[in-house]
Structures are given as C-alpha cells and as structure tokens.
Amino acid sequence: MELFSFWSWLALGTLLLILEVFGAGGYLLWIGMAAAAVGVLTFLIPGLPWEWQVLLFAVFSILTALYWWRRQRSVVRASDQPNLNLRGQELIGKVFVVTEAIVDGRGKIKVADGVWMARGPDAAPGSRVRVIGQQGAILLVERAD
C-alpha cells in the first residue's frame, strides 16, 4: 500500500502555497515548492518508498528555506530617499530664521510651516541660523552670518 501518492504531495504543496498568500514571508512558498518537487519525483518514480519521500521533502524544505533566508539577508535595498522619515536629517545644511530667541543655547526656529526647538549659540529673533545636526527633536544650529 502506498502511503503518499503524488497527489498527496501536490495537494500539500498547493495548501502551503495558499497559506503563503496570507503572509508567511516567503518560507511557505519554498516549502510548498519542495512538496511539489517531491510530488513530481513520486510521479516519475512510482515505487519511491514513503521514507524516501519524507526524507526528500525534509531535505528540499531545509535547502529551499535556507536559500530564501540567505537571499533575503543578502539583498541590500538602497533607497533613493535615504532621509525619508528623518525630517531633521534632511534639514542639515539649510538656513532658517530664529522665531524665539536662542538664549543659553535654547530657542526655536521656523522650518516651513512649523517651529522646531533649536540648540546653539545665542541669537536674536529674526537672525539666520544653519542646521548642523540633530539630537532627537532638537535641531543643532550655528550662526549663518
């Protein structure tokens, strides 16, 4: 009696591929492909013992999962906007106007339609400062004159 037919392996592969649609991050895709490969081998070699089928499935699953894991870790996704969501970083080097005097190293500057906390040398309202860095939500500034 045959424990696993090629239909069983193809059904398992299909089930794993369906589950992958729900967001398994690629792992079930490759394990499903391993099950399908064992199904194809079982079709091509009808008398393949079930022990060998399970062993091949395990080996194929491990190899394909490792392949996927290594591939995901090696892919470097360089962004065309490296400072996206780092608003303060994209302000470095730009000049802004002091809205609230910088006294004892603390004040506020106008950036677009908002106001940011600033740290730097004392400066009167209306003077111009250049952003040289960022510490959290505080912009580090120097005089632009």
Side-chain angles (χ1 to χ4, degrees):
M1 179 181 153
E2 189 175 318
L3 186 60
F4 297 112
S5 70
F6 71 92
W7 287 114
S8 302
W9 288 109
L10 293 178
L12 176 62
T14 302
L15 176 66
L16 290 170
L17 292 175
I18 289 170
L19 291 174
E20 173 62 34
V21 172
F22 295 108
Y27 288 105
L28 291 182
L29 167 73
W30 296 101
I31 295 172
M33 296 299 285
V38 173
V40 169
L41 282 174
T42 305
F43 179 76
L44 296 174
I45 308 169
L48 191 63
W50 70 268
E51 295 91 352
W52 279 99
Q53 293 177 30
V54 173
L55 180 65
L56 285 170
F57 174 66
V59 169
F60 288 167
S61 295
I62 290 169
L63 289 176
T64 56
L66 285 173
Y67 166 75
W68 179 250
W69 180 75
R70 290 188 77 203
R71 184 176 178 276
Q72 287 297 97
R73 291 189 41 95
S74 69
V75 173
V76 177
R77 294 179 178 101
S79 173
D80 60 341
Q81 298 176 340
N83 291 327
L84 184 65
N85 295 330
L86 299 173
R87 179 75 170 136
Q89 294 296 314
E90 74 181 31
L91 299 176
I92 293 176
K94 296 185 178 175
V95 177
F96 300 101
V97 176
V98 175
T99 58
E100 186 177 303
I102 300 176
V103 179
D104 295 328
R106 302 188 128 228
K108 294 183 180 178
I109 62 173
K110 180 155 180 66
V111 177
D113 60 349
V115 177
W116 282 63
M117 296 285 295
R119 184 179 298 151
D122 290 354
S127 58
R128 296 167 45 91
V129 292
R130 177 176 290 108
V131 177
I132 58 170
Q134 178 187 11
Q135 286 181 338
I138 300 173
L139 296 177
L140 306 175
V141 297
E142 67 182 6
R143 294 176 202 255
D145 303 338

